[in-house]
C-alpha cells in the first residue's frame, strides 16, 4: 500500500507525489514494486458484486435523475465526417439541450476542430442567461488518438496545439503496447509529459483525462495497474475507452476505475474522476454506472468534476425519456 500522509501536507505537483510514493525515480523497478503492493482485483469477487449493484437499479427514473445524467455527459463527435457545421450544431445542443434539461458537462471533438468548437462555445455565451444553461467545457482528443502510435514529438505537438486552440480538457490514450509488455516507466512518462503539456503560459492548465482502453486489457488486475500508473503521471480523470477499440466500457471496468480513484484518494488525499465512455448509449446504462459511482465514491461525488459519460447518443435517449412525444 502507499505511504499515507495528511492531505494538507501533500504537494499537488505530480512529479513530487510520484517521487514520494515510489520512494525513488519513476523507473520500471520502482513502479513495479509499487504495483506489487496493490490490492488484487479478483473477478470471482468483483463480478457478483457489480451484478448485485446493477440489479438494484430501477428503470423508472424521475426527471431529476435524467437531469443529473444529462449534466454528466461529454457530448462527443469523433467521426471522420465531422465538419465545422456539425461541430457548431453539437455545441448548440450541448449548451441548450432544451426539454428542461441542463447543459452537458462538455463537448468533445477532434484536435483539428478545437478552434471551431471554441468559437462556437464563445458565441453561445448569451445562452448562459437561460435557466438551465451552464458552463460547457471544451474537450479534445489528442496525442495520436485513438491508438497513440505516432512518434512522441508528433503526439506532443498535437497536445500543445489543442491547448493553444482553447481546449479546457484533453483526452489522451496510454501506450498500451508498453503496458502489455510491462514497460511501466514508458506508460508513466507519456502521461507525465502530457500533464506538463496541458499547462498554459498564464499558470492555469487544462484537465487531463487518460484513456486506458480497459475493454482491450486482458485482466482486471492490469486495468487497476494501468489506472494507478496514470494517476501517478498526473491524470485528473481516468477514462475507460476511446470508443474505437474492440470493446467499450463495462460495469466491471468502471467499478475498477472507481475503486482506483477511491484508493488514490485514501492514499494521497487527492480527488480525481472517472469518465465512462465506449458504448454508453442509453439512460438505463448510464443509470447503472451512476449507481456504481455512488456506491463506490459517495453520492457527493456524482458530479461533473468526478464522473462523466463520454457519449454521442445518450443525450438523445435522455430527451426521449423526458419528452416521449417529441
Amino acid at each position: 500500500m502507499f505511504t499515507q500522509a495528511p492531505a494538507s501536507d501533500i504537494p499537488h505537483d505530480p512529479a513530487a507525489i510520484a517521487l514520494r510514493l515510489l520512494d525513488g525515480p519513476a523507473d520500471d523497478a520502482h513502479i513495479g514494486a509499487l504495483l506489487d503492493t496493490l490490492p488484487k482485483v479478483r473477478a470471482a469477487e468483483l463480478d457478483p458484486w457489480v451484478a448485485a449493484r446493477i440489479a438494484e437499479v430501477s428503470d423508472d427514473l424521475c426527471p431529476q435523475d435524467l437531469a443529473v445524467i444529462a449534466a454528466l455527459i461529454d457530448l462527443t463527435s469523433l467521426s471522420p465526417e465531422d465538419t465545422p457545421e456539425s461541430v457548431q450544431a453539437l455545441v448548440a445542443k450541448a449548451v441548450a439541450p432544451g426539454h428542461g434539461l441542463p447543459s452537458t458537462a462538455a463537448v468533445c471533438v477532434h484536435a483539428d476542430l478545437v478552434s471551431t468548437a471554441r468559437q462556437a462555445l464563445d458565441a453561445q455565451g448569451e445562452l448562459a442567461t437561460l435557466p438551465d444553461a451552464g458552463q460547457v467545457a471544451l474537450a479534445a482528443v489528442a496525442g495520436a488518438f485513438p491508438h497513440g502510435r505516432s512518434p512522441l514529438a508528433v503526439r506532443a505537438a498535437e497536445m500543445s496545439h489543442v491547448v493553444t486552440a482553447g481546449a479546457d480538457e484533453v483526452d489522451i490514450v496510454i501506450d498500451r503496447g508498453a503496458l502489455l509488455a510491462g514497460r511501466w516507466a514508458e506508460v508513466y512518462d507519456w502521461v507525465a509529459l502530457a500533464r506538463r503539456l496541458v499547462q498554459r503560459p498564464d499558470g492555469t492548465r487544462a484537465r487531463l483525462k487518460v484513456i486506458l482502453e480497459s475493454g482491450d486489457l486482458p485482466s482486471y488486475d492490469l486495468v487497476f495497474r494501468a489506472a494507478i500508473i496514470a494517476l501517478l503521471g498526473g491524470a485528473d480523470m481516468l477514462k475507460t475507452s476511446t470508443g474505437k477499440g474492440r470493446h467499450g466500457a463495462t460495469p466491471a471496468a468502471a467499478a475498477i476505475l472507481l475503486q482506483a480513484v477511491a484508493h488514490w484518494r485514501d492514499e494521497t488525499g487527492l480527488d480525481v474522476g472517472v469518465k465512462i465512455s465506449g458504448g454508453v448509449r442509453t439512460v438505463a446504462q448510464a443509470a447503472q454506472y451512476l449507481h456504481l459511482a455512488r456506491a463506490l465514491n459517495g453520492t457527493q461525488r456524482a458530479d461533473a468534476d468526478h464522473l462523466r459519460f463520454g457519449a454521442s447518443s445518450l443525450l438523445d435517449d435522455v430527451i426521449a425519456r423526458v419528452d416521449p412525444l417529441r
Side-chain angles (χ1 to χ4, degrees):
M1 304 293 283
F2 301 164
T3 302
Q4 179 68 8
S8 59
D9 295 338
I10 298 172
H12 283 225
D13 173 52
I17 295 169
L19 182 66
R20 178 177 65 81
L21 294 176
L22 295 170
D23 195 27
D27 55 23
D28 285 341
H30 284 87
I31 296 173
L34 177 62
L35 296 179
D36 286 343
T37 70
L38 295 176
K40 298 297 181 183
V41 184
R42 296 178 173 86
E45 298 172 358
L46 181 66
D47 288 340
W49 185 89
V50 169
R53 298 293 78 73
I54 288 176
E56 297 167 351
V57 180
S58 170
D59 194 47
D60 186 20
L61 300 181
C62 69
Q64 183 178 0
D65 293 325
L66 295 170
V68 168
I69 291 171
L72 298 177
I73 295 173
D74 282 8
L75 191 60
T76 302
S77 187
L78 299 173
S79 166
E81 290 79 33
D82 287 341
T83 65
E85 293 75 19
S86 68
V87 166
Q88 290 163 359
L90 186 79
V91 167
K93 184 176 182 179
V95 172
H99 309 275
L101 293 169
S103 302
T104 65
V107 291
C108 185
V109 299
H110 280 298
D112 61 313
L113 288 165
V114 172
S115 295
T116 298
R118 179 79 273 159
Q119 292 168 7
L121 276 170
D122 292 345
Q124 295 281 333
E126 65 271 14
L127 292 178
T129 59
L130 295 176
D132 297 313
Q135 186 66 42
V136 178
L138 171 53
V141 294
F145 176 92
H147 301 118
R149 301 314 308 176
S150 293
L152 181 60
V154 175
R155 286 180 276 155
E158 190 176 43
M159 289 280 299
S160 298
H161 166 76
V162 298
V163 173
T164 300
D168 302 304
E169 304 176 353
V170 185
D171 295 31
I172 66 163
V173 63
I174 61 167
D175 186 336
R176 199 157 73 253
L179 179 76
L180 292 169
R183 299 196 303 272
W184 316 123
E186 288 184 36
V187 181
Y188 168 87
D189 287 344
W190 166 231
V191 177
L193 173 60
R195 173 62 183 251
R196 294 193 295 273
L197 290 170
V198 297
Q199 292 289 144
R200 302 187 185 99
D202 65 0
T204 64
R205 66 178 181 85
R207 182 189 296 255
L208 180 64
K209 291 138 83 179
V210 179
I211 307 166
L212 308 182
E213 204 68 274
S214 56
D216 288 357
L217 298 181
S219 72
Y220 287 171
D221 262 341
L222 193 57
V223 174
F224 193 65
R225 287 180 167 221
I228 296 302
I229 296 172
L231 293 169
L232 279 171
D236 296 303
M237 267 194 166
L238 301 175
K239 180 176 172 181
T240 54
S241 173
T242 61
K244 310 295 184 181
R246 291 188 297 274
H247 308 284
T250 65
I256 294 169
L257 269 59
L258 290 161
Q259 287 179 317
V261 300
H263 183 74
W264 187 253
R265 183 173 61 252
D266 290 343
E267 300 291 348
T268 71
L270 300 179
D271 225 356
V272 295
V274 169
K275 178 174 174 179
I276 300 164
S277 61
V280 185
R281 299 183 178 89
T282 68
V283 166
Q285 290 172 311
Q288 292 174 355
Y289 288 121
L290 181 58
H291 187 65
L292 286 174
R294 287 169 169 164
L296 288 166
N297 277 319
T299 301
Q300 73 277 17
R301 291 186 178 86
D303 61 23
D305 285 334
H306 300 93
L307 182 66
R308 301 281 186 86
F309 298 116
S312 57
S313 58
L314 175 58
L315 184 59
D316 290 333
D317 197 44
V318 173
I319 292 171
R321 292 285 195 111
V322 172
D323 184 7
L325 300 179
R326 66 188 177 95

